Amino acid sequence: MELVKSPSAFLFLPSKWWPVILFWLGFSAVVFTALTFNPGMMILRHPSSSSSSMPLLDASEEPSLGRLADRIWALFCSRSSHSHPGYFSTTVTEKSSDTSSRDKRKHVNVKEDSEGKVMITCDLYTGKWVEDDTYPLYRSDSCPFVDKKFNCQQNGRPDIKYTRWRWAPRDCMLSRFSGMTMLETLRGKRLAFVGDSLNRNQWESMLCMLRESLANKSRIARQNGSNRILKFLDYNCTVEFYKSRYLVDMKEGSGDTNYTIRLDTMDKSEVKWRGANIIIFNTAHWWGPGKLGKGENCFQEGDKVHAQLDVMIAYKRALCTWAQWVDGHVDPHETRVFFRTYSPQHFRGGRWNSGGHCEGETEPANDEFDLPTYPNEMRALEEVLGMMKVRVHVLDIMKLSAYRKDAHPSVYWHPQQLNVQQQDCGHWCLPGVPDTWNELLYHSTTLAP
Ligand SMILES: *[C@@H]1O[C@H](CO)[C@@H](O)[C@H](O)[C@H]1NC(C)=O
Ligand SMILES: *[C@@H]1O[C@H](CO)[C@@H](O)[C@H](O)[C@H]1NC(C)=O
Ligand SMILES: *[C@@H]1O[C@H](CO)[C@@H](O)[C@H](O)[C@H]1NC(C)=O
Ligand SMILES: *[C@@H]1O[C@H](CO)[C@@H](O)[C@H](O)[C@H]1NC(C)=O
């Protein structure tokens, strides 16, 4: 039976099509309304027009598809996000509805091959830690790139077992890191880590793991005199680190905690990492209440400094700015973008600045029950990623790292361990957990391109 020959035939479509048609009519109406009337919401500015105070969409301008996309972004980004205080809690709590949230993240394992066919691959992030004497992959005293404060052994940490664990995904094998294969993959390319000191932790680990595979370990040089851009001479590739605590722009005031975060403007250093072939972003811990309190006078959009803005709403807006930057400036054929998820902390009995400690832990937790609660930062990230055009690979290390309460520097971030006032239960000893993050990165870049 031939149905669609003339417009009137439309009316004879099978009734099961009607919901679809009605849905599209409704959807078009909503989009039309959004374009026509400004619903009085806060509209985010596009990162590239940061300095002007012109709203993203001027009513006098012609709508276009690009503008429509921007408008949808803006509506999405300005929607408030539900949050509650205490999201940095690392205390043990009951398993809640978080499980469903975790399950939703399975989408990160859906991959497309070159012809656009969808392949479901193994979930690398569910599994367990197993003892393996062939680890660590390098020795801390042999690697010049390990920061003093991550070099636990040199600072006197007596136990070594925490370096002898391998992450074993439940449903597949994680291939062992090969520095040579990684360097071949990186030949002529730039690998950049952009984020806070936890990304620096991971960057140093990557340098050590790659260096280990060189026959002549002196074939690494600083590029342009920078300590943070290292070039592997025989592979013409650079491994770079850019400090960007918030990914968005920050106007420093006096003192370490007196600054404004410009939620609608990408970090000005973006010109330096733009064009790198693999970029690993992160941002999370600097959004904690210990740093930003209740969000008073620290967030700026356009010329306006908010007297008070919920920190999680601000976090999501900053992620939106980052996401729009990625969508606008990243050529997916040239650059692969990763976002490394929240790195768990293990302070007992307080926070980093109020006597929290993790000293004396020598074994990973073996019960999922002991894992920290699912942070709101992760929910915000999921929402924003869901809106993006450029595909972002999620390096979802949160859960696997949460087991590793034994792997932080604790007092061994300093050679005079006995005198330290504060323990470090946030960063990781090297060699250690960030090596595993890099094995996962290796897996995603070399084996599952
Ligand atoms: C080294 O890599 C850069 C890109 O990072 C490329 O422009 C340049 O041509 C390469 N040089 C050689 C000698 O291959
Ligand atoms: C290793 O590389 C350095 C720097 O390029 C060079 O000076 C040195 O001669 C090399 N050593 C060997 C054994 O090839
Ligand atoms: C190093 O400096 C040169 C010239 O000053 C510049 O063109 C190049 O982009 C710089 N490389 C990096 C990786 O910053
Ligand atoms: C923070 O910095 C601003 C601008 O530099 C200055 O006016 C203000 O007094 C500073 N506040 C504190 C508490 O230091």
Side-chain angles (χ1 to χ4, degrees):
M1 180 164 83
E2 293 202 18
L3 270 178
V4 189
K5 271 267 152 69
S6 69
S8 60
F10 178 72
L11 293 172
F12 301 106
L13 285 178
S15 59
K16 66 177 181 189
W17 284 28
W18 278 102
V20 178
I21 291 162
L22 286 174
F23 169 80
W24 277 108
L25 286 174
F27 180 75
S28 314
V30 167
V31 169
F32 178 79
T33 313
L35 268 179
T36 315
F37 308 106
N38 188 338
M41 287 196 202
M42 174 78 215
I43 300 295
L44 290 194
R45 271 157 267 270
H46 199 272
S48 59
S49 64
S50 55
S51 51
S52 94
S53 56
M54 182 108 93
L56 179 64
L57 269 158
D58 187 333
S60 64
E61 290 179 73
E62 302 242 323
S64 70
L65 271 185
R67 287 193 180 284
L68 175 59
D70 278 350
R71 167 55 68 102
I72 291 172
W73 258 116
L75 287 175
F76 167 77
C77 290
S78 58
R79 224 178 58 205
S80 32
S81 142
H82 302 289
S83 70
H84 56 88
Y87 34 79
F88 263 76
S89 159
T90 51
T91 49
V92 178
T93 54
E94 77 287 2
K95 275 192 231 173
S96 59
S97 55
D98 289 351
T99 336
S100 62
S101 252
R102 282 190 181 128
D103 289 341
K104 259 192 280 170
R105 286 175 299 141
K106 288 225 171 80
H107 72 273
V108 302
N109 295 305
V110 177
K111 298 199 190 313
E112 280 177 27
D113 67 13
S114 50
E115 280 128 43
K117 260 189 287 176
V118 173
M119 308 179 291
I120 308 291
T121 59
C122 159
D123 172 11
L124 294 170
Y125 305 103
T126 299
K128 62 177 187 208
W129 291 94
V130 294
E131 280 189 77
D132 186 333
D133 281 346
T134 65
Y135 280 69
L137 297 166
Y138 57 91
R139 291 166 50 108
S140 62
D141 56 3
S142 71
C143 182
F145 302 114
V146 177
D147 243 318
K148 280 204 187 70
K149 52 185 195 285
F150 306 145
N151 200 334
C152 302
Q153 263 138 64
Q154 204 163 69
N155 292 333
R157 181 165 177 169
D159 58 317
I160 192 81
K161 192 173 169 191
Y162 71 94
T163 63
R164 303 250 160 91
W165 295 92
R166 172 171 59 82
W167 176 249
R170 191 189 56 203
D171 301 325
C172 51
M173 283 285 291
L174 184 59
S175 44
R176 193 182 172 87
F177 185 87
S178 153
M180 252 181 313
T181 309
M182 188 69 183
L183 282 166
E184 280 303 340
T185 308
L186 291 176
R187 191 180 281 281
K189 296 197 165 113
R190 294 175 58 199
L191 166 64
F193 292 85
V194 179
D196 59 26
S197 55
L198 282 148
N199 250 16
R200 186 185 169 97
N201 220 179
Q202 188 181 357
W203 168 71
E204 291 176 13
S205 152
M206 179 58 94
L207 288 171
C208 293
M209 287 163 75
L210 292 175
R211 177 182 177 278
E212 199 61 23
S213 70
L214 297 183
N216 181 349
K217 303 213 169 11
S218 308
R219 303 287 297 152
I220 306 176
R222 294 180 190 182
Q223 172 120 325
N224 291 3
S226 165
N227 281 333
R228 295 176 173 186
I229 306 177
L230 278 300
K231 181 161 193 172
F232 288 78
L233 298 171
D234 301 320
Y235 295 87
N236 184 29
C237 74
T238 51
V239 181
E240 313 170 15
F241 172 70
Y242 299 96
K243 176 175 151 186
S244 180
R245 290 172 184 168
Y246 294 101
L247 302 182
V248 291
D249 200 21
M250 195 174 120
K251 197 167 72 190
E252 309 231 15
S254 55
D256 194 38
T257 50
N258 184 15
Y259 46 74
T260 348
I261 299 161
R262 305 201 48 185
L263 299 178
D264 54 357
T265 314
M266 189 68 177
D267 188 331
K268 296 277 192 300
S269 326
E270 57 89 12
V271 288
K272 296 189 195 152
W273 64 69
R274 199 191 278 194
N277 305 91
I278 301 175
I279 314 181
I280 295 97
F281 289 100
N282 92 300
T283 184
H285 290 280
W286 284 87
W287 298 89
K291 316 277 195 213
L292 299 173
K294 295 191 165 69
E296 280 160 7
N297 295 313
C298 51
F299 299 119
Q300 182 175 347
E301 285 174 296
D303 296 329
K304 181 179 191 306
V305 177
H306 295 279
Q308 208 256 325
L309 184 66
D310 181 281
V311 176
M312 272 307 103
I313 292 176
Y315 180 72
K316 196 173 134 194
R317 289 192 188 162
L319 281 184
C320 276
T321 300
W322 164 81
Q324 289 180 67
W325 179 86
V326 171
D327 275 355
H329 294 91
V330 166
D331 174 357
H333 301 292
E334 291 296 321
T335 302
R336 304 184 73 187
V337 179
F338 288 83
F339 196 102
R340 180 179 55 66
T341 61
Y342 190 89
S343 168
Q345 307 182 325
H346 293 90
F347 291 99
R348 289 189 313 248
R351 292 176 192 272
W352 63 276
N353 56 357
S354 58
H357 56 100
C358 54
E359 194 193 347
E361 296 283 1
T362 54
E363 298 273 340
N366 51 19
D367 190 350
E368 204 178 310
F369 199 64
D370 287 339
L371 303 184
T373 43
Y374 195 65
N376 283 350
E377 281 85 345
M378 294 288 292
R379 290 183 225 283
L381 179 66
E382 282 177 35
E383 284 184 44
V384 172
L385 291 179
M387 285 288 295
M388 292 179 72
K389 188 176 78 200
V390 171
R391 176 159 161 251
V392 173
H393 305 252
V394 181
L395 211 53
D396 192 7
I397 54 77
M398 187 185 80
K399 194 168 144 197
L400 67 92
S401 310
Y403 292 99
R404 298 304 309 276
K405 59 186 165 65
D406 57 324
H408 297 287
S410 69
V411 294
Y412 303 106
W413 63 270
H414 198 278
Q416 264 100 50
Q417 337 89 25
L418 296 180
N419 298 326
V420 299
Q421 301 291 313
Q422 291 175 353
Q423 298 199 6
D424 183 351
C425 311
H427 298 101
W428 306 92
C429 296
L430 291 182
V433 169
D435 304 341
T436 297
W437 303 351
N438 283 325
E439 289 199 291
L440 291 160
L441 179 65
Y442 169 77
H443 183 97
S444 309
T445 48
T446 58
L447 305 172

